[in-house]
Amino acid sequence: MSGLGSGSGAGTTPLPHRSVANIRSPHTSGNTNPSTPSSSSRPVPTSSFGSPSSLRADEDILILELGSRKLQIGFAGDACPRGTVWFTPSQLRRVGDFRDWSSESKTNVDWKTKKVTGEKWWTRDHELWEYDVREVDLGLIGDKVERALREALTKYMLIDSRPRRMACVLPSSLPLPMLSAVLDSLFTRFQPPTISLFSSPVALTVGAGVRSALIVDLGWRETVVTSVYEFREVNTKRSVRGGRLLVEQTHKLLARHLPENQKKKEGTTSEDTQDYDLSFEECNDIATRMVWCKPHLSSPKAHKSKEGLPTLHEQDESDSTEAESPTEASKTARIPLQSCRSPTTIELPWAALAEPSENAFFDSQYSESSFDDHELPLPLLVYRSLLQLPLDVRALCMSRIIFTGGCASVLGLRGRIFGEVSKLIEERGWDGVQGKGADQMRANPKLQGKRGSRPAVSGPTGVTSPPEAVGGQEQDGVWHDAANTAHEACPVEEQLARGQDKRPRVQGKMRAIESVGAWSGASLIAHLKAAPISTIEREVWLQYGAAGASKPSEVDQKSARQSFGPGGLIRGSAANNSWTLGVWGVN
Amino acid sequence: MAPLNPYTYIQCPCSDSASLGRPSDATSPTSADGDEEDNAFDPRAPRANFSLYPLEYLLYCEDCHQIRCPRCITEEIATYFCPSCLFEVPSSNLKSEGNRCTRSCFQCPICIGPLSVTSIEAPPSDPSLLVPDRAGTPHTTYSLICSYCSWSSTEIGIQFDKPNSIHAQLAKIRNGGASRLTAKERKERRKELSHRGGEAALAASSEAAAGQDMDLETQFANLKLFYNSQLADPNAGDNGFSSLGDLGFSSPSSLSRIMNLYTGGKLHDPRAKSKLGAMREAITADEGLLETDLDESSLITQLHQSDFLDTASSTQICSQPPNLGETYIYGAARFNSSLRPVPYLLRTKRSKRCPVCRHIISKPEAKVQTTRFRIRLVAGSYIPSITIRRLNLPGPNGPAAPAILGDLLEPLKPVHFVLTFKNPIFESLKVTLGAPAKTPGRFPSKVTVLCPQFDIDANTDVWDEALKENDRESSGRSRRRAGTESQFQVEVGKIWERGRNWVSIIVEVVPASLKLEPGRDVLKQDEDVLEIPMFVRIEWEAEGGGDDAASGTGRDKDQKEKKELAYWCVLGLGRIKQG
C-alpha cells in the first residue's frame, strides 16, 4: 500500500514540471522526457501489479465467529453462517484415525472402560478454550482453530485457498494471549491480507437493529451480561452459570436416577473429584432435548404483556410443585441411556427435568449472600449489571434486552430470567443497598429528610404498588432526576436528540428483543462496510505480533495532541499507522 | 481393548517450523537436524495429533524436495458437484444459491439416507371407478421418502405439487404446510405495496405480517434495508457506525465530532449538524426490530406431551442446514416435527499446488464421474515406507512365528521389532535414524535402534533383481536363516535383512510398566500404546536439474546433486499390558 502511494507520488510530482516544459518548448521537452516517462511509467506496472490484491480485497469477506464450542463461518452479507463446526474430541484425533467409525466407539466401550474424574476432563475436549490462560496450551488452540476452519472451508464454504479478508467475531472478554494465538494461526496458515475484529455484543446489538442493548449471553462457559450503549460496551458482568454447569447438573440428575448396578464402581470417590457415570455427549444431548425451565412464579403479575393468559394457564399445569395434579405427578419421562454399563432406560418425573436448569442458573434455595461474585444467579446478575449503569443508559438498556447463547434455547429460561429481573426491580427499585439496616433506615422517618435528595430511588422500594405504577414512577423519577442535574440545555443531549427520530424511543420499561445473532450482525456490519473495532494487516502482525498493537489509551493522547494544531485532524488520520486491538488490547 | 495394528505416522516438517516459531528456513532439513537432540518430538503431546499424517495422506513436491501435508498446500477448485446427482454446479451459482444442491437431492433428517420423491396416491374416493383421467388430475401430490428409515415428508406436513425442483418448492413451505414468502417475493410485494398505497399501507401491512411471518431471513433483510436507508440518508452523513471503530479516537470523523463537541459555540454550525446526525435505531418490525416472545409455554407443553424420541437429537440438529424460514429463532429445531429434509452439501474436486514453488502436485480430472488424477505426486512414491513386524525370537511356538495382531506387550520385557524400510525411488538411499532412548510421556519405555544407519538400494527394475538373485542369496537370505535358527542373532550395527529395494532393521524396546498410583491417576486414552518417535533422515543423489528423479538412474553421474530430507515419524508398536 505504501509502495503504491509513493509510486503515485513519484508519478505526480514530475507531472507539473513536465507540463510546464511542454508549454515552453515542446521540442526540448521531447528530449528530456524519456527519463521522466520511464520513471512515471514505472509506477504503473507496480500499481497494476498491486491492483489484483485490491481486487481480491473487494471480494467477499469471510466472517467467522468463534465460540467456546463451535466455529461459524460464512460470507459477509449472508443472513446466516454457511457452516458450523463444533469442537469435538474426534477433531483432536490424528488424521487417519477412524476409531469414531468403529463399532466399539458406537457402543461407547471406550467410555465405559475409562474412568473419568474431574469436570475438566469430562468437557475439555469439547471446548475450544478455557479462559484460564495459566494452564492452557496456546499452540493447541491455534491448531484447533486451524483444523476447524479448514474443515469449514472445504466442507461448507467450498472455496479455494486464495487469501481472503477475514473478520472475526469474538467475545470481548477473550484474553489477549488467546486472541493472539488465534490471529497467529489465521495469519500464518490462511494468509488473509487483513483480519478485522468485531466484538460479539456489539454485533448482536447491530443484529437487533438498536444502538444500545443489554446483552444476556447465556453461553457455554459462563453467562456474560454486557451493556452496550451507542455501540460501545460500557459494562460487563459475568457468572459461571452457563451451559457447562447445565450439562453437569443434567449428569447429576441422571446419575441420581441411575440404577446402582449401572454405575461404575470404583470405590475411590473422594470429595474433591467427581466421577462421571455417563458420557458427556449423552448428557449434552439430553440437556438440549429434554431439559426445560419452570416459569417464574409471579410472572403473570410481572408480565404486563398481553400473553398473560396463556402463561397463567401453563403455570397451573406445571409450575406449582406442591399442588400438582395427579396426572402431572404420574407423568414420567423415559430417557434411554447408552453410555452407562449396559443400555438402559430410566424413568424420572417430568418435573425433575427442570431441576438442572434450576440449579444451574438460579439456585433459588440459597440466600443471595451465599453467592460469590463469580457465581451470581442470572436474574441477580442482570439486575446488578443494570443497577451499575448510569440512569439514561439503564433506561435504554432495560428495554432492549437481548438473550443469546446456546442456553437461550432452554425452554422457558428466557422468560424466567426476564420475569425474575422484573420482580427484583419491582421489589427493590434501583437501590443497591439491601438488608435489614437499609430497610430500617428507609422506614425511619427521621432519616427521611436527610435522604431527601434521593426520593425517587427510595420511594418505590418501600411501597408495594402494582408494577405498572412502579415502572411509571421509576421512569418519572429517573427523568426528573436527570433534568435536575442538567443545568441548562445540555449541548451533548441536544446533539444526541438531533440524531433521534421524531418517534419516541422505548425506554424505562422492561422489554426483550430478538437479535439475528452475533454472526449475522457482523455480517451486516461488514456488508455495510462500517469500520470494525480493529483491523490488523498481515505484514504488521507477522512483524510485531500483538506487541505491535498500540493501546487505545496511547493512541488517545497522541492523536488528541496532534489534532490540536491546524490541519492536525487530517494529518493525524492520514499518518495514522498505529492500530489497536480494540477492547482486547486494553489490558 | 481394540487390537492395535502397528502403524506409522509422519510429521510434516511444515508444522515443525510453525510450532517452534522459527523462520521458514526449516525447509532445509539441516536446521531441523541440529536440534534433534534438544527437542525430541513428543507424539503424546496434544498438538502432535494435528501434525501427524499417515504416509498415504501426504503429497510431495518434486521441485522443493519436500513433503507437503494438507496443511501446507494451496488448493484450487476444479469442479463443484452434488455427490448425490453428480451434477456439476457452476461456480457462479454457488454464491447466489448456497453450498447445497438446489435440485431434488435431499438427505433424511432422521437418519442420513437419501430421500426419493414419491407420489402420494390420494385415497381413491371411488375405487370401483377406474377413470383414466383421474390420474392426471392436479391432486396428485408428492412427498420425500427415506428408503432406509421410511421417514416421509408428510410427517412434517410437507407435500409437493411437482415431482421436480423440490428445493424451490421446499423453500416456500414451512413445516406443517403453511406457505412462506421467499426473500424475492417479499421484496416484490414490498415494491408493489409502496406503489399502490404509499407509506401508510406499507407500514400497516408489514406490522400485520410481522407477528406470524417474521423469520431470520426476513429480519435480516429488513435490517439490511433499514441500515442501508439510514446510511444513504444524506442527513446521516457520517455513518452511525463510526462509533464502532473509534475506540482509539483515531478516525477523523470521531475526532471532528469530539472537536465539535468541545469547541462550544460552533455547535449550531449547519455542517456539524448534518455530520452529527446519528443513525437512529430500528423501531418497527419492518425495520428489523423484533420483540421477543418470551412465552414459551406452548413449547413446554409440547415437550411435556412428547416422548424422548420425539425430540431431535443434537446430531440431527447439527446436520440441519441453517433454517432461514423458521418463525422463531430459539428452540427452533427441537422436535422431530420441526426437522426438515437436508439438501446435499456440494463437494469439490481440488487441485493442489505447492505453496512455495507453485507447481501443481495434485490435479484431478475435471469430469465429475471420473476418479482419476492427471497429476498426483504422493509422498509414498518418494520417501521410504516403514512397515513394522514383531519379532518373536525365543518363541515357544516355533521360531519366527508371526506375532498375533493385538498381542499385548509384556511390561519390562525386551521385545524386538523388525522395521522394514522400502525405497520407492530409483536412487539408492542413505537412511539415518534417531530415536530418543526413552519414549516421552509418563511411562518411558526404553528404545534401542540396533542399526541406526544404513543404505537401501535403488528401486531398480525387477529383472535386475532377478539377475542378481544369486548374489543376494548369500547375504540377505542366509542372514535371516541364521537369525531364526540360532537363538539370538540380533547384532548391534548390523542390518537384519536386505532385499532388492528394502532393508529391515531391528529395534529393541523395553516397554514400561503402567503402574499407577492407586486412586490418584487414571490412564489416559491410548496411553498404554507404545509409540516411539523416530527422526528419519534420508539422503540421496538426485539429478542436477532435480526435476525428474524417476528417470535418473541411467543418466550422467556428474550432474548429480545431493539431496536430503528429514522428518519425524511415529511408530505405533502395540499396547502394553496393564496391571
Side-chain angles (χ1 to χ4, degrees):
Chain A
M1 207 55 209
S2 64
L4 217 163
S6 70
S8 65
T12 48
T13 37
L15 269 175
H17 162 75
R18 219 170 30 159
S19 61
V20 170
N22 277 340
I23 291 161
R24 265 190 208 150
S25 54
H27 299 286
T28 47
S29 70
N31 292 337
T32 51
N33 267 351
S35 61
T36 36
S38 65
S39 69
S40 64
S41 68
R42 199 173 294 146
V44 177
T46 58
S47 66
S48 70
F49 187 71
S51 65
S53 73
S54 64
L55 274 179
R56 194 186 301 143
D58 283 338
E59 272 178 14
D60 293 305
I61 304 171
L62 290 183
I63 301 211
L64 59 156
E65 182 186 353
L66 284 169
S68 292
R69 287 188 61 200
K70 62 179 175 181
L71 179 147
Q72 291 178 297
I73 189 164
F75 289 117
D78 282 1
C80 62
R82 287 217 167 161
T84 306
V85 179
W86 291 79
F87 298 104
T88 54
S90 58
Q91 201 205 23
L92 297 172
R93 302 240 164 83
R94 289 172 190 165
V95 172
D97 187 342
F98 295 116
R99 79 181 70 194
D100 274 356
W101 304 98
S102 72
S103 55
E104 287 184 2
S105 114
K106 284 275 174 281
T107 52
N108 281 299
V109 168
D110 208 33
W111 160 257
K112 281 173 205 168
T113 50
K114 205 166 60 174
K115 181 170 168 261
V116 175
T117 308
E119 55 179 89
K120 240 179 202 167
W121 292 107
W122 200 51
T123 60
R124 192 192 57 165
D125 290 348
H126 295 265
E127 297 170 349
L128 170 60
W129 46 42
E130 180 77 29
Y131 278 4
D132 186 358
V133 200
R134 283 172 299 180
E135 40 191 86
V136 109
D137 184 356
L138 291 174
L140 184 64
I141 289 177
D143 281 344
K144 279 187 190 176
V145 170
E146 187 206 338
R147 187 170 272 189
L149 185 54
R150 222 169 262 285
E151 186 191 334
L153 290 180
T154 40
K155 195 172 167 196
Y156 298 107
M157 301 300 289
L158 305 175
I159 51 175
D160 51 22
S161 42
R162 252 183 306 164
R164 282 152 216 273
R165 283 194 292 161
M166 289 187 185
C168 282
V169 188
L170 296 164
S172 50
S173 53
L174 188 69
L176 188 58
M178 285 185 194
L179 176 73
S180 176
V182 170
L183 287 177
D184 245 350
S185 172
L186 293 181
F187 272 126
T188 50
R189 291 296 182 180
F190 298 96
Q191 273 97 29
T194 60
I195 295 181
S196 315
L197 301 179
F198 296 110
S199 88
S200 46
V202 175
L204 275 161
T205 314
V206 174
V210 290
R211 298 175 65 86
S212 315
L214 186 81
I215 313 284
V216 184
D217 182 3
L218 302 156
W220 171 249
R221 289 191 56 262
E222 56 187 12
T223 295
V224 186
V225 179
T226 314
S227 324
V228 175
Y229 179 63
E230 294 290 316
F231 294 136
R232 244 171 272 218
E233 291 168 43
V234 288
N235 184 23
T236 309
K237 272 182 109 58
R238 56 176 73 103
S239 162
V240 290
R241 294 168 186 277
R244 185 157 73 181
L245 206 59
L246 179 72
V247 175
E248 261 162 35
Q249 291 291 342
T250 310
H251 174 261
K252 266 187 193 161
L253 172 80
L254 295 173
R256 216 168 42 234
H257 285 85
L258 210 59
E260 202 51 46
N261 59 356
Q262 294 286 349
K263 292 187 181 177
K264 293 180 193 172
K265 279 182 227 139
E266 297 285 339
T268 52
T269 319
S270 53
E271 287 77 29
D272 54 334
T273 55
Q274 193 196 348
D275 288 353
Y276 288 93
D277 296 314
L278 296 165
S279 72
F280 172 82
E281 288 87 351
E282 191 148 45
C283 293
N284 186 42
D285 194 37
I286 291 163
T288 48
R289 286 167 93 155
M290 295 303 278
V291 167
W292 59 291
C293 181
K294 287 178 188 170
H296 180 46
L297 274 174
S298 54
S299 57
K301 275 183 275 162
H303 261 304
K304 30 202 176 184
S305 53
K306 52 264 171 218
E307 302 99 43
L309 264 178
T311 320
L312 203 114
H313 173 69
E314 170 54 27
Q315 225 146 24
D316 294 340
E317 265 192 329
S318 59
D319 178 55
S320 45
T321 34
E322 55 270 83
E324 266 177 9
S325 56
T327 53
E328 190 65 29
S330 62
K331 165 73 184 175
T332 54
R334 293 165 57 85
I335 295 180
L337 293 173
Q338 299 285 328
S339 65
C340 41
R341 294 210 147 193
S342 59
T344 182
T345 303
I346 58 168
E347 291 195 4
L348 63 169
W350 159 252
L353 282 168
E355 278 172 32
S357 66
E358 198 74 23
N359 293 336
F361 299 117
F362 299 100
D363 261 345
S364 39
Q365 70 268 35
Y366 300 109
S367 78
E368 194 184 306
S369 53
S370 61
F371 297 114
D372 257 345
D373 273 356
H374 70 287
E375 50 167 28
L376 287 174
L378 299 191
L380 203 61
L381 185 78
V382 176
Y383 173 75
R384 288 211 180 158
S385 59
L386 276 174
L387 191 65
Q388 280 190 348
L389 295 176
L391 287 174
D392 45 351
V393 178
R394 186 196 301 152
L396 282 173
C397 284
M398 70 187 282
S399 50
R400 285 157 188 79
I401 298 177
I402 299 172
F403 290 98
T404 182
C407 296
S409 61
V410 175
L411 287 182
L413 179 63
R414 295 185 295 164
R416 169 83 180 269
I417 295 174
F418 189 85
E420 291 210 0
V421 173
S422 307
K423 186 158 165 275
L424 276 173
I425 295 169
E426 183 187 321
E427 280 171 359
R428 302 181 184 176
W430 297 115
D431 192 355
V433 186
Q434 293 298 321
K436 275 184 194 164
D439 286 342
Q440 279 173 6
M441 189 138 113
R442 251 172 245 138
N444 193 339
K446 286 178 192 166
L447 290 167
Q448 284 291 342
K450 284 179 191 170
R451 302 179 74 251
S453 60
R454 297 168 64 198
V457 180
S458 57
T461 49
V463 193
T464 49
S465 46
E468 287 90 351
V470 170
Q473 268 185 23
E474 181 61 38
Q475 198 181 332
D476 282 348
V478 165
W479 292 104
H480 183 65
D481 217 17
N484 277 348
T485 48
H487 310 292
E488 298 109 37
C490 173
V492 183
E493 284 280 338
E494 257 181 33
Q495 293 295 335
L496 283 174
R498 198 168 295 138
Q500 306 302 327
D501 196 56
K502 307 295 170 289
R503 283 173 274 190
R505 287 191 291 182
V506 180
Q507 57 184 15
K509 71 164 195 183
M510 289 285 284
R511 182 183 68 159
I513 54 172
E514 204 84 78
S515 169
V516 287
W519 190 93
S520 310
S523 161
L524 262 179
I525 300 175
H527 178 72
L528 297 167
K529 299 198 168 54
I533 283 180
S534 163
T535 302
I536 306 150
E537 282 179 25
R538 179 159 183 268
E539 275 80 35
V540 184
W541 179 268
L542 292 182
Q543 215 170 340
Y544 302 108
S550 38
K551 295 198 172 172
S553 54
E554 292 169 13
V555 179
D556 279 2
Q557 294 166 359
K558 207 170 70 186
S559 57
R561 209 175 297 138
Q562 276 175 353
S563 69
F564 278 107
L569 273 180
I570 299 102
R571 211 189 314 132
S573 58
N576 175 31
N577 52 4
S578 64
W579 50 285
T580 69
L581 282 172
V583 274
W584 293 279
V586 174
N587 35 19
Chain B
M1 194 58 63
L4 183 106
N5 286 325
Y7 55 82
T8 320
Y9 276 95
I10 291 173
Q11 191 203 28
C12 178
C14 77
S15 43
D16 186 40
S17 66
S19 62
L20 295 175
R22 265 185 300 179
S24 53
D25 68 341
T27 40
S28 65
T30 38
S31 65
D33 201 13
D35 23 356
E36 174 194 345
E37 289 300 316
D38 313 32
N39 35 28
F41 175 63
D42 179 9
R44 295 239 182 273
R47 285 200 71 184
N49 285 354
F50 291 87
S51 57
L52 288 172
Y53 293 91
L55 182 62
E56 304 83 58
Y57 283 73
L58 295 171
L59 298 171
Y60 186 85
C61 177
E62 280 190 335
D63 294 85
C64 308
H65 296 289
Q66 194 55 258
I67 302 171
R68 295 279 168 232
C69 71
R71 292 168 101 189
C72 54
I73 272 174
T74 57
E75 294 179 324
E76 281 159 31
I77 290 173
T79 327
Y80 304 91
F81 65 98
C82 165
S84 172
C85 59
L86 293 183
F87 193 75
E88 198 178 321
V89 182
S91 59
S92 54
N93 277 20
L94 208 74
K95 212 170 167 270
S96 52
E97 306 193 346
N99 52 359
R100 289 173 188 268
C101 182
T102 52
R103 304 173 87 218
S104 301
C105 308
F106 287 93
Q107 274 179 304
C108 175
I110 305 293
C111 60
I112 50 164
L115 296 176
S116 54
V117 183
T118 322
S119 63
I120 309 170
E121 281 144 42
S125 50
D126 197 352
S128 61
L129 284 173
L130 286 166
V131 190
D133 61 49
R134 171 88 18 132
T137 50
H139 293 293
T140 324
T141 52
Y142 299 88
S143 70
L144 289 167
I145 285 179
C146 173
S147 48
Y148 182 74
C149 68
S150 56
W151 177 87
S152 162
S153 67
T154 47
E155 285 176 32
I156 55 168
I158 288 182
Q159 292 183 5
F160 305 99
D161 298 331
K162 292 179 290 177
N164 52 359
S165 65
I166 296 288
H167 192 273
Q169 293 183 60
L170 190 66
K172 292 178 193 164
I173 314 174
R174 288 213 168 99
N175 277 9
S179 66
R180 76 176 272 270
L181 296 173
T182 56
K184 203 182 265 177
E185 287 171 338
R186 198 177 293 275
K187 202 180 265 178
E188 274 162 16
R189 175 169 292 196
R190 192 193 299 266
K191 213 177 272 173
E192 201 176 285
L193 274 170
S194 63
H195 274 305
R196 206 193 303 150
E199 283 288 316
L202 175 67
S205 71
S206 60
E207 288 281 2
Q212 72 272 21
D213 235 17
M214 193 67 124
D215 50 40
L216 184 64
E217 192 180 30
T218 318
Q219 197 189 356
F220 188 83
N222 287 351
L223 276 171
K224 205 156 143 183
L225 207 71
F226 164 70
Y227 281 127
N228 271 326
S229 71
Q230 286 291 310
L231 293 176
D233 189 2
N235 275 342
D238 154 42
N239 73 45
F241 278 126
S242 64
S243 48
L244 277 180
D246 66 352
L247 203 96
F249 294 98
S250 50
S251 68
S253 61
S254 64
L255 271 175
S256 64
R257 186 153 56 170
I258 291 163
M259 287 293 285
N260 272 319
L261 287 179
Y262 290 106
T263 45
K266 285 182 202 152
L267 278 168
H268 301 289
D269 179 25
R271 218 181 101 261
K273 197 198 283 176
S274 67
K275 271 238 153 169
L276 283 160
M279 190 173 72
R280 67 176 175 87
E281 54 180 36
I283 289 171
T284 60
D286 193 29
E287 291 168 347
L289 187 85
L290 180 60
E291 260 192 73
T292 312
D293 182 12
L294 288 172
D295 179 31
E296 284 164 338
S297 51
S298 59
L299 276 174
I300 294 178
T301 321
Q302 196 187 343
L303 181 68
H304 188 176
Q305 283 157 1
S306 56
D307 192 52
F308 180 73
L309 294 174
D310 291 341
T311 54
S313 78
S314 40
T315 41
Q316 284 166 353
I317 293 170
C318 283
S319 62
Q320 284 278 303
N323 190 358
L324 292 169
E326 202 54 62
T327 37
Y328 30 80
I329 296 172
Y330 291 110
R334 176 174 286 274
F335 303 102
N336 281 348
S337 58
S338 54
L339 296 174
R340 288 169 77 85
V342 185
Y344 271 93
L345 272 168
L346 297 178
R347 299 216 180 142
T348 51
K349 281 189 160 190
R350 291 156 179 259
S351 58
K352 298 173 181 184
R353 281 179 191 274
C354 170
V356 180
C357 63
R358 308 290 299 160
H359 276 86
I360 294 179
I361 47 182
S362 168
K363 189 183 173 102
E365 291 260 5
K367 259 179 83 179
V368 174
Q369 280 84 0
T370 55
T371 52
R372 272 181 307 189
F373 283 84
R374 288 207 188 124
I375 306 167
R376 190 160 171 80
L377 310 177
V378 289
S381 48
Y382 294 93
I383 61 174
S385 61
I386 306 172
T387 43
I388 302 161
R389 185 165 57 88
R390 187 153 157 197
L391 185 68
N392 275 2
L393 274 175
N397 46 352
I404 306 145
L405 280 181
D407 229 6
L408 295 179
L409 305 173
E410 279 301 323
L412 303 176
K413 267 194 185 166
V415 204
H416 293 87
F417 288 93
V418 180
L419 305 187
T420 308
F421 290 76
K422 197 170 181 185
N423 179 8
I425 64 170
F426 297 96
E427 307 283 340
S428 62
L429 283 183
K430 191 177 168 211
V431 180
T432 316
L433 302 177
K438 282 187 175 179
T439 56
R442 287 199 295 173
F443 308 104
S445 306
K446 282 183 197 146
V447 181
T448 320
V449 181
L450 294 186
C451 179
Q453 204 162 14
F454 52 89
D455 290 333
I456 316 177
D457 289 341
N459 183 15
T460 47
D461 208 340
V462 185
W463 295 111
D464 290 356
E465 162 74 3
L467 295 174
K468 287 180 193 165
E469 182 82 357
N470 293 331
D471 309 342
R472 297 280 160 151
E473 197 81 32
S474 52
S475 58
R477 296 278 167 84
S478 58
R479 166 169 279 286
R480 184 171 64 178
R481 253 174 237 141
T484 49
E485 278 161 17
S486 62
Q487 284 300 307
F488 225 91
Q489 279 289 309
V490 179
E491 283 177 68
V492 177
K494 288 275 173 63
I495 288 170
W496 172 250
E497 202 174 350
R498 173 188 282 283
R500 178 174 61 97
N501 63 338
W502 53 268
V503 162
S504 295
I505 57 153
I506 301 285
V507 170
E508 188 182 89
V509 180
V510 185
S513 81
L514 304 174
K515 281 254 168 62
L516 290 162
E517 287 176 60
R520 280 288 310 282
D521 274 329
V522 280
L523 205 63
K524 288 176 211 152
Q525 193 181 25
D526 282 351
E527 214 172 15
D528 54 341
V529 176
L530 176 62
E531 280 188 335
I532 56 172
M534 184 177 273
F535 191 74
V536 181
R537 181 173 165 194
I538 50 175
E539 282 175 52
W540 74 100
E541 288 190 335
E543 214 184 314
D547 276 327
D548 199 0
S551 58
T553 32
R555 297 273 176 88
D556 196 3
K557 299 266 182 205
D558 299 329
Q559 287 182 357
K560 292 231 162 170
E561 200 178 299
K562 209 172 163 192
K563 300 280 177 196
E564 59 180 347
L565 181 65
Y567 52 88
W568 280 98
C569 65
V570 172
L571 312 176
L573 299 180
R575 286 188 194 276
I576 304 173
K577 205 174 185 176
Q578 290 182 51

